[in-house]
Amino acid sequence: KDILNAKGLNIFAVIDHQKNAKNIDMNMNESKVIIFGNPKVGTKFMNENMASGLDLPLKIIVYKDKDSKVKLAYRDGTWLKKEHGLSSNKLINKVSNALNNITNKAIK
């Protein structure tokens, strides 16, 4: 979250899957989804294809795998472009680069 805040991105929510599982007396490894974004970019995507709002704001999942190794996963700009038929390569590349930079910084 510190990395996202430092980049001036809005954090809209953090979903704690492990906590939710505990609330129903189930166990799972640590897993949190961080939902964040930049409304200026997201609005441009949604103006092109409103259905892209299903995958916006952006999300990163941070979790421990079965061997307790911390991992990160996300859908990048290329996925958004393909899934929603978006055309702005400049914005797609901006999103992909930002996600790559954020996650690379987080794992260091």
Side-chain angles (χ1 to χ4, degrees), residues 58-74:
L58 299 171
K59 298 165 216 50
I60 295 175
I61 186 168
V62 182
Y63 64 97
K64 283 190 179 178
D65 69 8
K66 63 182 179 177
D67 298 320
S68 293
K69 292 181 182 177
V70 176
K71 297 195 174 181
L72 303 166
Y74 61 89

Side-chain angles (χ1 to χ4, degrees), residues 6 8-9 16 18 20 24 30 32 37 40-41 45-46 48-51 56 62-63 81-82 89 99-100 105 108:
L9 296 166
D16 187 334
Q18 183 186 47
N20 292 333
I24 57 167
E30 292 178 68
K32 292 182 181 177
K40 289 181 181 179
V41 174
F45 287 151
M46 286 186 280
E48 186 173 349
N49 180 354
M50 191 59 77
L56 296 169
V62 182
Y63 64 97
K81 179 179 181 175
K82 181 180 175 187
N89 286 329
L99 285 164
N100 190 44
K105 191 170 187 177
K108 288 183 180 181

Side-chain angles (χ1 to χ4, degrees), residues 4-87:
L4 297 171
N5 285 325
K7 292 192 173 289
L9 296 166
N10 296 336
I11 297 175
F12 299 108
V14 176
I15 299 169
D16 187 334
H17 290 305
Q18 183 186 47
K19 180 181 175 185
N20 292 333
K22 284 182 182 179
N23 288 339
I24 57 167
D25 296 322
M26 294 183 74
N27 293 315
M28 67 179 295
N29 285 347
E30 292 178 68
S31 173
K32 292 182 181 177
V33 175
I34 303 169
I35 302 171
F36 65 96
N38 177 336
K40 289 181 181 179
V41 174
T43 300
K44 289 178 183 177
F45 287 151
M46 286 186 280
N47 279 336
E48 186 173 349
N49 180 354
M50 191 59 77
S52 68
L54 287 170
D55 296 301
L56 296 169
L58 299 171
K59 298 165 216 50
I60 295 175
I61 186 168
V62 182
Y63 64 97
K64 283 190 179 178
D65 69 8
K66 63 182 179 177
D67 298 320
S68 293
K69 292 181 182 177
V70 176
K71 297 195 174 181
L72 303 166
Y74 61 89
R75 292 181 169 158
D76 68 4
T78 304
W79 185 89
L80 286 169
K81 179 179 181 175
K82 181 180 175 187
E83 184 68 18
H84 298 290
L86 302 172
S87 63

